[in-house]
Amino acid sequence: MNDHEEPESSDSLREFGEIVRCFRERAAMSQPELAGRVGYSPHTVGSIEQGRRFPPPDFPAKADEVLDAFGTIERAARHLSRNPGLANWFRRWAKLERDAIALYTYECRVIPGLLQTEAYMRADFSNRVPPLPDARLEAQVAARIQRQRMLRERQETSFSFIVEEALFRRCTGGPAVTRELIDSVLTLVQLRNIEIQVMPLVQENHSGLAGPIQLLETPESAWYAYCEGQRGGVLVTDAKEVSVLQARYASMRSQALTPKDTVSLLTQMRGEL
């Protein structure tokens, strides 16, 4: 990823942060004092005020009440950009994701972003070379957490994930992080619109050897694909190319463990940690 393609704070985040700061100063309250009242760390409050972090879901309402902001902070939160911290080359795909009625993901490098816990995200971003500055890391974590809300908010969207077994066994971030990750995945599979399948470590026939695949269907029944590499990503719009990737994904669905067997394997792996 080139420098000009790195994630950057959005104008709406900076404006929201300024609004919080103004009401905090109006209340003659320090950042640590506000942090204690809303239940978040001073670092989190500072990052929000500087426009570097998307506020947690309950932050606007809590801050509005504590600072007696007349509903201003809550109203401002409704206009926040939903893709701060996203790389420029990913934003076109992110816009399509917002209205998609189906999202399919095959991943062989890291656990898909939509399934990651915050601890796993931080382990992932902390392993980047060259290292990410703190502000950029926080922006990316906030963006990913915000993006994950679609899993629970969009109950009519079908989500399918095929994830390599090796990604769980790699223990990124350590055993504690992996235990939390598996617990989170086992919770998500209980939602009726989410299907997760593990691709076994030993699999003689594998249709995904060419790399990760993301597919989505729009409300107009159009299909798009997205393929990501080391330094960027490509949005695939040509119907014939998308069809090839759809066929590969469909084949992998039959090669991976069933959702039921996936739960059994993850439960076993969880017990081994």
Side-chain angles (χ1 to χ4, degrees), residues 61-223:
K62 287 183 176 180
D64 208 294
E65 179 180 358
V66 169
L67 299 176
D68 193 21
F70 320 108
T72 304
I73 294 175
E74 283 193 279
R75 288 194 295 272
R78 297 171 191 162
H79 301 286
L80 286 172
S81 167
R82 298 182 75 84
N83 62 352
L86 297 181
N88 290 336
W89 41 261
F90 185 77
R91 288 176 182 169
R92 290 180 63 196
W93 176 260
K95 289 179 181 178
L96 290 170
E97 270 190 340
R98 295 175 192 171
D99 300 314
I101 61 174
L103 279 166
Y104 299 163
T105 302
Y106 163 64
E107 187 54 81
C108 57
R109 307 162 305 169
V110 293
I111 298 297
L114 288 175
L115 300 181
Q116 295 179 6
T117 60
E118 182 172 347
Y120 186 97
M121 294 176 202
R122 294 186 178 280
D124 176 18
F125 291 133
S126 295
N127 277 294
R128 298 296 171 90
V129 178
L132 292 177
D134 289 345
R136 188 167 294 162
L137 187 151
E138 293 298 332
Q140 291 190 323
V141 168
R144 189 161 291 179
I145 291 174
Q146 175 66 16
R147 182 169 164 251
Q148 288 180 339
R149 292 177 59 179
M150 72 173 80
L151 292 176
R152 298 181 182 278
E153 292 179 350
R154 290 163 47 182
Q155 299 179 4
E156 296 181 357
T157 298
S158 297
F159 296 91
S160 169
F161 299 91
I162 300 174
V163 185
E164 292 288 339
E165 178 182 343
L167 301 186
F168 292 98
R169 295 199 179 278
R170 183 174 296 154
C171 228
T172 299
V177 172
T178 303
R179 282 194 293 269
E180 181 188 34
L181 172 70
I182 293 177
D183 287 342
S184 176
V185 170
L186 290 174
T187 298
L188 287 173
V189 297
Q190 297 177 32
L191 300 178
R192 288 180 290 110
N193 62 325
I194 297 178
E195 181 181 86
I196 300 175
Q197 295 177 259
V198 165
M199 183 66 78
L201 200 58
V202 177
Q203 177 57 267
E204 293 184 4
N205 300 307
H206 195 319
S207 300
L209 297 180
I213 298 173
Q214 293 191 60
L215 296 159
L216 67 75
E217 182 182 10
T218 70
E220 297 75 32
S221 299
W223 282 87

Side-chain angles (χ1 to χ4, degrees), residues 252-264:
M252 281 191 287
R253 269 184 146 171
S254 67
Q255 295 163 346
L257 297 178
T258 66
K260 182 178 180 180
D261 288 342
T262 290
V263 169
S264 296

